[in-house]
């Protein structure tokens, strides 16, 4: 693995994968979900789909997702 060999960091890998998928990467240590977003998705649904509601922007709910390839 490139990370284990010291060629890149796990963050570098996350950024590359996100770019390939047309997604953004969130630093959850720096960005916290808003109360408005959390109120829109119940915990059971969020857990089932592996998402964390982050914020509402221009009428759209933006979520952080653990595995963007999850089609559950």
């Amino acid at each position: 693995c490139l990370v284990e060999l010291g060629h890149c960091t796990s963050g570098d890998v996350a950024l590359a994968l996100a770019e390939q998928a047309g997604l953004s990467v969130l630093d959850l240590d720096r960005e916290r979900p808003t109360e408005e977003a959390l109120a829109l998705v119940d915990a059971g649904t969020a857990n089932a789909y592996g998402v964390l509601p982050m914020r509402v922007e221009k009428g759209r709910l933006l979520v952080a997702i653990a595995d963007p390839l999850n089609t559950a």
Side-chain angles (χ1 to χ4, degrees):
C1 172
L2 294 174
V3 174
E4 291 171 355
L5 293 172
H7 295 294
C8 62
T9 67
S10 58
D12 295 332
V13 174
L15 286 171
L17 292 173
E19 185 176 317
Q20 284 181 339
L23 301 172
S24 301
V25 173
L26 291 176
D27 182 347
L28 295 177
D29 288 329
R30 295 182 183 194
E31 188 168 347
R32 296 286 179 217
T34 65
E35 292 298 322
E36 178 186 20
L38 291 172
L40 294 173
V41 181
D42 67 85
T45 301
N47 285 330
Y49 289 96
V51 299
L52 176 62
M54 294 301 294
R55 65 182 176 272
V56 177
E57 230 176 61
K58 298 180 183 176
R60 291 185 165 179
L61 175 62
L62 299 175
V63 298
I65 186 165
D67 180 2
L69 301 178
N70 180 1
T71 58

